[in-house]
């Protein structure tokens, strides 16, 4: 059975070209040319992956993504942006995107990102299916994280995290006392199959550290110069 792809892009030439290329690769492709039409199609059917442009008429791509994620946390979404800035990328990822790609791009790169995003989603679902066999919470010192409820607390105080901040902290705590390289974090937390923009990792570590460590005497998230990051209860 063909994998289904929804392309939401108001540039007709680009969307038609993508439709031809993806159809040639064996995908079943549909197109929407406005944010409103794209949201309606996204919610009306089940898709294997969605390609979503940021700049759209009627409803921009970031808002479309937010509305999708209110009811669907599973379908992989690749954001398409014309601006290659860390802020734009973080904004899309924070809204629930699985990946991003900057215009102009080669079809081979898009295909690789699509495969990586869909594979990562399958792995995530397999991990979720095994949750009942795992401990109900993770703990590092006074920091506690409950995967099922996606809640985080430290010294009894609730810590509010965005979805991607939670995923990053979850991964750090699953591998506590291990030094994790930036490339490893990008691949396993964001699901990229290649060495991506490691600035994204640094930005999110800064966000998480501010929420988890700020105001506490004992700092849990450590920077290992020239290597990456880890979370541990005390310096070794």
């Amino acid at each position: 059975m063909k994998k289904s792809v929804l392309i939401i892009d108001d540039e007709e030439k680009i969307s038609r070209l993508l439709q031809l290329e993806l159809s040639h690769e064996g995908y079943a492709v549909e197109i929407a040319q406005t944010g409103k039409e794209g949201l309606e199609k996204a919610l009306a059917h089940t898709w294997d992956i969605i390609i979503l442009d940021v700049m759209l008429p009627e409803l921009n791509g970031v808002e479309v993504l937010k509305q999708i994620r209110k009811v669907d946390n599973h379908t992989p979404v690749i954001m398409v942006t014309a601006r290659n800035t860390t802020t734009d990328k973080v904004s899309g990822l924070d809204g629930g995107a699985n990946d991003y790609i900057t215009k102009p791009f080669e079809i081979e790169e898009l295909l690789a990102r699509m495969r990586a995003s869909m594979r990562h989603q399958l792995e995530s679902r397999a991990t979720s299916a095994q949750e009942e066999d795992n401990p109900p919470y993770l703990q590092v010192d006074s920091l506690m994280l409950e995967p099922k409820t996606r809640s985080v607390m430290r010294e009894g105080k609730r810590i509010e995290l965005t979805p991607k901040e939670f995923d990053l902290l979850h991964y750090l705590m699953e591998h506590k006392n291990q030094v994790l390289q930036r490339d490893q974090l990008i691949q396993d937390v964001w699901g990229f199959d290649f060495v991506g923009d490691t600035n994204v990792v640094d930005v999110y570590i800064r966000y998480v550290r501010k929420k988890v460590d700020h105001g506490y005497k004992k700092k849990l998230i450590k920077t290992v110069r020239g290597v990456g990051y880890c979370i541990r209860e005390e310096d070794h």
Side-chain angles (χ1 to χ4, degrees):
M1 186 176 179
K2 292 184 177 182
K3 292 188 179 298
S4 58
V5 183
L6 174 62
I7 298 171
I8 308 176
D9 195 319
D10 64 323
E11 295 187 51
E12 187 173 356
K13 289 184 178 180
I14 291 178
S15 58
R16 294 300 181 190
L17 178 60
L18 287 179
Q19 185 178 38
L20 288 173
E21 294 282 1
L22 294 179
S23 297
H24 180 71
E25 293 293 328
Y27 292 95
V29 184
E30 277 200 41
I31 294 174
Q33 294 186 323
T34 70
K36 184 177 180 181
E37 179 190 8
L39 179 59
E40 290 173 352
K41 286 189 174 183
L43 300 181
H45 304 283
T46 300
W47 305 94
D48 289 294
I49 192 164
I50 297 172
I51 312 299
L52 175 61
D53 193 21
V54 173
M55 302 301 293
L56 292 168
E58 296 183 1
L59 202 62
N60 69 57
V62 174
E63 186 59 35
V64 171
L65 178 61
K66 288 180 180 178
Q67 295 302 317
I68 291 173
R69 287 298 182 236
K70 286 182 179 180
V71 296
D72 176 7
N73 286 319
H74 302 294
T75 302
V77 176
I78 296 179
M79 297 290 288
V80 179
T81 175
R83 296 185 296 181
N84 188 26
T85 68
T86 299
T87 301
D88 292 328
K89 295 169 183 176
V90 168
S91 177
L93 293 169
D94 231 13
N98 299 78
D99 198 355
Y100 56 81
I101 190 167
T102 306
K103 292 180 179 179
F105 54 82
E106 299 292 336
I107 187 64
E108 290 79 9
E109 181 183 3
L110 176 62
L111 289 168
R113 290 173 181 265
M114 288 171 60
R115 290 191 295 267
S117 291
M118 289 187 285
R119 181 166 58 251
H120 187 251
Q121 191 59 42
L122 288 174
E123 291 170 353
S124 297
R125 290 183 179 182
T127 300
S128 297
Q130 298 171 0
E131 278 188 350
E132 291 186 1
D133 298 327
N134 296 331
Y137 63 87
L138 301 174
Q139 184 167 2
V140 178
D141 197 72
S142 61
L143 179 66
M144 296 180 63
L145 179 149
E146 294 185 9
K148 287 187 177 181
T149 61
R150 296 182 70 85
S151 63
V152 178
M153 299 188 74
R154 185 166 183 184
E155 294 184 4
K157 298 179 181 178
R158 188 177 181 86
I159 298 174
E160 298 294 338
L161 300 176
T162 67
K164 193 55 66 178
E165 289 170 356
F166 179 91
D167 292 342
L168 176 58
L169 180 61
H170 187 191
Y171 190 82
L172 288 171
M173 293 180 71
E174 279 186 319
H175 299 83
K176 69 177 181 178
N177 300 324
Q178 299 179 33
V179 178
L180 304 171
Q181 296 182 355
R182 291 173 177 83
D183 293 344
Q184 180 182 350
L185 290 168
I186 279 190
Q187 179 175 328
D188 292 344
V189 177
W190 280 272
F192 298 173
D193 246 7
F194 57 94
V195 178
D197 183 355
T198 55
N199 285 338
V200 170
V201 174
D202 298 329
V203 169
Y204 271 90
I205 286 288
R206 188 165 66 247
Y207 289 165
V208 174
R209 179 180 274 148
K210 184 176 181 180
K211 294 181 179 181
V212 167
D213 279 342
H214 183 71
Y216 296 94
K217 184 177 181 180
K218 187 180 291 186
K219 310 303 181 185
L220 303 179
I221 298 177
K222 315 292 183 181
T223 299
V224 182
R225 293 187 180 278
V227 183
Y229 301 97
C230 72
I231 189 167
R232 59 186 178 221
E233 296 178 2
E234 58 185 22
D235 291 317
H236 295 288

